[in-house]
Amino acid sequence: MIIEIPKIDNTINGTTLFWRWASTGLILAIVITIYLKRKKSLFDEYSETRIGVHFGLFLGLFLLLPGIGSLINHSFASNETNCIETEIKRKSLGASKLRSRFIFPTNPVLQNERFDVTNHFYNQIEQGDTIITCLKEGALGYTFVDQFKLNQ
């Protein structure tokens, strides 16, 4: 998931992708838990491992499946690229120690999204600049930004 977070950030409707796959992970964890409970192997009344198994299943699948979904979406994407011009509405720094750099475009297709860009690209652009955003259609139907270019 750590590797896929920037890719989900650069996916249009990436939060939808995350929550659909995270929900699938939780449902899968519930199904596995019910199965294991019926087998009574790890869930005996006095078993000390049941809390660890619950925690690992629910948290692990909650985070693992969105990462797998994002990986599938990007890895098996269409080869066709659609590039559009967009103006930068604003740019901002993330709050984390690693300082993610985000841009917010004004293009109607992209306007409700924020995109994670490299430090080098972030420093080259200013608010109000026009950039070229190249999009690809992902294998799962989620369009994502393949590349940002300076408009010259």
Side-chain angles (χ1 to χ4, degrees):
M1 188 61 191
I2 291 171
I3 295 169
E4 291 298 316
I5 287 173
K7 291 180 183 175
I8 291 175
D9 272 342
N10 289 349
T11 301
I12 297 172
N13 295 322
T15 53
T16 304
L17 178 138
F18 175 84
W19 285 112
R20 281 188 181 164
W21 283 76
S23 299
T24 304
L26 290 177
I27 291 168
L28 183 60
I30 290 169
V31 168
I32 292 171
T33 300
I34 291 170
Y35 174 75
L36 290 175
K37 210 167 200 171
R38 289 196 179 176
K39 285 195 74 152
K40 296 186 180 191
S41 57
L42 295 172
F43 294 101
D44 290 340
E45 202 171 310
Y46 303 106
S47 176
E48 295 175 8
T49 60
R50 71 175 179 255
I51 292 174
V53 170
H54 277 299
F55 183 75
L57 274 175
F58 283 87
L59 184 63
L61 291 175
F62 178 79
L63 294 175
L64 181 65
L65 263 68
I68 290 172
S70 176
L71 182 67
I72 290 169
N73 191 56
H74 287 83
S75 296
F76 301 104
S78 164
N79 289 331
E80 189 177 315
T81 303
N82 178 25
C83 295
I84 57 175
E85 278 190 14
T86 185
E87 185 179 324
I88 304 299
K89 180 174 27 177
R90 69 183 177 95
K91 57 187 224 176
S92 70
L93 295 173
S96 71
K97 196 176 191 180
L98 298 176
R99 290 281 185 195
S100 297
R101 279 112 177 110
F102 299 112
I103 59 170
F104 299 83
T106 59
N107 187 296
V109 175
L110 309 171
Q111 78 183 45
N112 294 327
E113 302 288 336
R114 75 169 190 190
F115 296 102
D116 192 355
V117 295
T118 64
N119 187 34
H120 180 69
F121 187 79
Y122 183 86
N123 291 331
Q124 286 182 317
I125 59 172
E126 293 298 326
Q127 183 175 325
D129 286 354
T130 303
I131 61 168
I132 296 177
T133 308
C134 295
L135 306 170
K136 279 190 174 182
E137 183 71 25
L140 300 175
Y142 294 95
T143 304
F144 63 93
V145 176
D146 185 47
Q147 185 179 20
F148 293 103
K149 299 177 188 176
L150 295 172
N151 191 9
Q152 300 188 6

